[in-house]
Amino acid sequence: MTEMVFGTAPVKAGEPVLPRWWRTIDKWALSAILILFGVGMLLGLAASVPLAEKNNLEPFYYVKRQAFFGVTALIVMLGLSMLSPVKVRRIGVIGFFFAFAALLALPVFGTDFGKGAVRWFSLGFASFQPSEFLKPGFVIIAAWFIAAAHEVAGPPGRLYSFILAGIIVTLLAMQPDFGQASLVLFSWMVMYFIGGAPIFLLACVAGITAAGGFFAYNTSDHFARRINGFLSSEIDPRTQIGYATNAIQEGGFFGVGVGEGTVKWSLPDAHTDFIIAVAAEEYGLLLVMAIIALYALIVTRSLLRLMRERDPFTRLAGAGLACTFGVQALINMGVAVRLLPAKGMTLPFVSYGGSSVIASGITLGFLLALTRSRPQGEISDILARRAQQ
């Protein structure tokens, strides 16, 4: 519809797919993603060896699995990044329905692996966490709904997206998985705000969320235990937060040295939820700041490129994906330094895990596809032409 109104710039006739992809992709964001993958492999070499030894496996068992999952995620990411926004929407919607069906089946066929929350399907050789794949699919379908509401005589897409977000948040809270539920709600609020929602409505949603948190605190031992641990003035040194806090303090500015860290022998989740503690102890604040800079580069570059987009769906979906990716990293690192209560959330594209790494590859593949340069002119040019008329 936008091309019918504003027209399009000419395209190079017969240009092959790969040269066109390389010319239009955000090379800065792509480079940052590849560096993040390398950092994840580096930290995996340090964090996963103690776990392999505890499980009587070869020292680099988990490193090899991480490499396999990571390469698979990169292949998926690069393949998805070549898609047009229309194909991103189609694949995202289809993927959402598969992930949503898997989420509904969790109470019957899922397992908690002794962690108190039924979030996974055990496949024997691996595990599968539907909520990781649900997030990018939800962002795509919610952006489609909200964008449709901008069309003349369009459907009440904002209402549909709100209902869908409420259903998913409820299902995730029942597992319980309040971390993923908060991410889904956050991504919806970002897109709803960009889509023109009034602040009053978003404030009402925030109030409902706070009331839901109060209810969960009084009814869920799992939730209350984590909140109480976070609010406690003292840190139990025998807990994961205690080990992580001590490791970060020991690391200082330059770290204790490669392979010299001890927290990886004490933390059960050193290779997943608390991998940033391993980075801080062995490599110090320098590596942690570099990791933060890489995430910030991916998010800010994506948002800046999306500001030039004219298509509502592309802007909404891209912003939702970028903010979800960045906030998940922020939450993971915030938990490690005790700025946030423990949520059991991985560091995207760095932590070990099949579902997490591949789902991050899907998220970034969609994001790279939506932020590619397209021959449509920039929205600033359109506004300037309108001002001159």
Short mmCIF file of all heavy atoms in Angstrom, two decimals, residues 8-24 372-376:
data_model
loop_
_atom_site.label_atom_id
_atom_site.label_comp_id
_atom_site.label_asym_id
_atom_site.label_seq_id
_atom_site.Cartn_x
_atom_site.Cartn_y
_atom_site.Cartn_z
N THR A 8 8.39 3.71 -5.53
CA THR A 8 9.64 3.07 -5.11
C THR A 8 10.78 3.54 -5.99
O THR A 8 10.59 3.99 -7.11
CB THR A 8 9.54 1.53 -5.22
OG1 THR A 8 9.25 1.19 -6.58
CG2 THR A 8 8.45 0.98 -4.32
N ALA A 9 11.98 3.40 -5.45
CA ALA A 9 13.17 3.74 -6.21
C ALA A 9 13.51 2.57 -7.13
O ALA A 9 13.18 1.44 -6.85
CB ALA A 9 14.33 4.03 -5.26
N PRO A 10 14.17 2.82 -8.24
CA PRO A 10 14.51 1.73 -9.15
C PRO A 10 15.45 0.73 -8.51
O PRO A 10 16.31 1.09 -7.70
CB PRO A 10 15.17 2.45 -10.33
CG PRO A 10 15.64 3.75 -9.77
CD PRO A 10 14.64 4.13 -8.73
N VAL A 11 15.31 -0.54 -8.89
CA VAL A 11 16.14 -1.62 -8.38
C VAL A 11 17.07 -2.08 -9.49
O VAL A 11 16.72 -2.05 -10.66
CB VAL A 11 15.25 -2.80 -7.91
CG1 VAL A 11 16.10 -3.87 -7.27
CG2 VAL A 11 14.16 -2.31 -6.96
N LYS A 12 18.27 -2.49 -9.11
CA LYS A 12 19.20 -3.01 -10.10
C LYS A 12 18.66 -4.29 -10.69
O LYS A 12 18.44 -5.27 -9.98
CB LYS A 12 20.56 -3.28 -9.44
CG LYS A 12 21.25 -2.02 -8.94
CD LYS A 12 22.60 -2.35 -8.32
CE LYS A 12 23.28 -1.10 -7.81
NZ LYS A 12 24.59 -1.43 -7.19
N ALA A 13 18.42 -4.30 -11.98
CA ALA A 13 17.80 -5.45 -12.63
C ALA A 13 18.75 -6.64 -12.63
O ALA A 13 19.92 -6.52 -12.98
CB ALA A 13 17.40 -5.09 -14.06
N GLY A 14 18.23 -7.78 -12.26
CA GLY A 14 18.97 -9.02 -12.34
C GLY A 14 20.12 -9.16 -11.36
O GLY A 14 21.00 -10.01 -11.54
N GLU A 15 20.14 -8.37 -10.30
CA GLU A 15 21.22 -8.47 -9.32
C GLU A 15 21.08 -9.77 -8.54
O GLU A 15 20.01 -10.07 -8.01
CB GLU A 15 21.18 -7.28 -8.36
CG GLU A 15 22.36 -7.26 -7.40
CD GLU A 15 22.31 -6.06 -6.47
OE1 GLU A 15 21.27 -5.39 -6.43
OE2 GLU A 15 23.32 -5.81 -5.79
N PRO A 16 22.12 -10.58 -8.43
CA PRO A 16 22.05 -11.84 -7.69
C PRO A 16 21.71 -11.63 -6.22
O PRO A 16 21.91 -10.55 -5.66
CB PRO A 16 23.45 -12.43 -7.86
CG PRO A 16 24.00 -11.77 -9.07
CD PRO A 16 23.42 -10.39 -9.08
N VAL A 17 21.19 -12.70 -5.59
CA VAL A 17 20.71 -12.60 -4.21
C VAL A 17 21.83 -12.24 -3.24
O VAL A 17 21.68 -11.31 -2.44
CB VAL A 17 20.04 -13.93 -3.79
CG1 VAL A 17 19.68 -13.89 -2.31
CG2 VAL A 17 18.81 -14.19 -4.63
N LEU A 18 22.94 -12.95 -3.31
CA LEU A 18 24.01 -12.73 -2.34
C LEU A 18 24.63 -11.34 -2.44
O LEU A 18 24.82 -10.68 -1.41
CB LEU A 18 25.08 -13.82 -2.47
CG LEU A 18 24.69 -15.20 -1.93
CD1 LEU A 18 25.81 -16.20 -2.17
CD2 LEU A 18 24.34 -15.12 -0.45
N PRO A 19 24.96 -10.84 -3.64
CA PRO A 19 25.48 -9.46 -3.71
C PRO A 19 24.46 -8.44 -3.20
O PRO A 19 24.84 -7.46 -2.54
CB PRO A 19 25.77 -9.27 -5.20
CG PRO A 19 26.03 -10.65 -5.71
CD PRO A 19 25.09 -11.52 -4.94
N ARG A 20 23.18 -8.64 -3.53
CA ARG A 20 22.15 -7.71 -3.05
C ARG A 20 22.04 -7.78 -1.53
O ARG A 20 21.88 -6.75 -0.86
CB ARG A 20 20.80 -8.04 -3.70
CG ARG A 20 19.71 -7.06 -3.29
CD ARG A 20 18.44 -7.22 -4.11
NE ARG A 20 17.79 -8.50 -3.88
CZ ARG A 20 17.71 -9.48 -4.75
NH1 ARG A 20 18.30 -9.36 -5.94
NH2 ARG A 20 17.08 -10.61 -4.46
N TRP A 21 22.12 -9.00 -0.98
CA TRP A 21 22.06 -9.17 0.48
C TRP A 21 23.24 -8.46 1.15
O TRP A 21 23.06 -7.74 2.13
CB TRP A 21 22.08 -10.66 0.82
CG TRP A 21 22.24 -10.95 2.28
CD1 TRP A 21 21.27 -10.94 3.23
CD2 TRP A 21 23.47 -11.28 2.96
NE1 TRP A 21 21.81 -11.25 4.46
CE2 TRP A 21 23.16 -11.46 4.31
CE3 TRP A 21 24.79 -11.44 2.53
CZ2 TRP A 21 24.12 -11.80 5.27
CZ3 TRP A 21 25.76 -11.78 3.47
CH2 TRP A 21 25.42 -11.95 4.80
N TRP A 22 24.44 -8.65 0.61
CA TRP A 22 25.62 -8.04 1.21
C TRP A 22 25.59 -6.52 1.09
O TRP A 22 26.04 -5.80 2.00
CB TRP A 22 26.87 -8.58 0.53
CG TRP A 22 28.15 -8.00 1.06
CD1 TRP A 22 29.01 -7.16 0.43
CD2 TRP A 22 28.70 -8.20 2.37
NE1 TRP A 22 30.07 -6.83 1.25
CE2 TRP A 22 29.90 -7.46 2.45
CE3 TRP A 22 28.30 -8.95 3.48
CZ2 TRP A 22 30.70 -7.44 3.60
CZ3 TRP A 22 29.08 -8.93 4.62
CH2 TRP A 22 30.26 -8.19 4.67
N ARG A 23 25.02 -6.01 0.01
CA ARG A 23 24.95 -4.56 -0.17
C ARG A 23 23.95 -3.91 0.78
O ARG A 23 24.14 -2.75 1.19
CB ARG A 23 24.57 -4.25 -1.63
CG ARG A 23 24.45 -2.77 -1.97
CD ARG A 23 24.26 -2.56 -3.45
NE ARG A 23 23.11 -3.31 -3.96
CZ ARG A 23 21.85 -2.90 -3.87
NH1 ARG A 23 21.57 -1.74 -3.28
NH2 ARG A 23 20.87 -3.62 -4.38
N THR A 24 22.90 -4.63 1.16
CA THR A 24 21.82 -4.04 1.94
C THR A 24 21.85 -4.39 3.42
O THR A 24 21.15 -3.76 4.21
CB THR A 24 20.46 -4.49 1.37
OG1 THR A 24 20.39 -5.93 1.39
CG2 THR A 24 20.28 -3.98 -0.05
N ARG A 372 17.43 -4.32 6.67
CA ARG A 372 18.16 -4.17 5.41
C ARG A 372 17.69 -2.93 4.67
O ARG A 372 16.52 -2.52 4.77
CB ARG A 372 17.95 -5.40 4.53
CG ARG A 372 18.76 -6.62 4.97
CD ARG A 372 18.37 -7.84 4.18
NE ARG A 372 18.55 -7.64 2.75
CZ ARG A 372 18.10 -8.48 1.82
NH1 ARG A 372 17.43 -9.57 2.18
NH2 ARG A 372 18.31 -8.25 0.55
N SER A 373 18.61 -2.32 3.94
CA SER A 373 18.25 -1.15 3.13
C SER A 373 17.40 -1.60 1.96
O SER A 373 17.73 -2.56 1.26
CB SER A 373 19.51 -0.45 2.61
OG SER A 373 20.33 -0.05 3.68
N ARG A 374 16.28 -0.91 1.76
CA ARG A 374 15.39 -1.25 0.66
C ARG A 374 15.12 -0.01 -0.20
O ARG A 374 15.11 1.11 0.31
CB ARG A 374 14.07 -1.82 1.20
CG ARG A 374 14.13 -3.30 1.49
CD ARG A 374 12.85 -3.78 2.12
NE ARG A 374 12.74 -3.34 3.50
CZ ARG A 374 13.32 -3.98 4.53
NH1 ARG A 374 14.03 -5.05 4.31
NH2 ARG A 374 13.18 -3.53 5.75
N PRO A 375 14.88 -0.20 -1.50
CA PRO A 375 14.66 0.93 -2.42
C PRO A 375 13.28 1.52 -2.26
O PRO A 375 12.41 1.37 -3.10
CB PRO A 375 14.83 0.29 -3.81
CG PRO A 375 14.40 -1.13 -3.60
CD PRO A 375 14.85 -1.50 -2.22
N GLN A 376 13.08 2.20 -1.14
CA GLN A 376 11.76 2.75 -0.88
C GLN A 376 11.81 4.22 -0.50
O GLN A 376 10.78 4.85 -0.27
CB GLN A 376 11.11 1.98 0.29
CG GLN A 376 11.94 2.04 1.55
CD GLN A 376 11.22 1.42 2.72
OE1 GLN A 376 10.03 1.12 2.66
NE2 GLN A 376 11.92 1.24 3.81
#
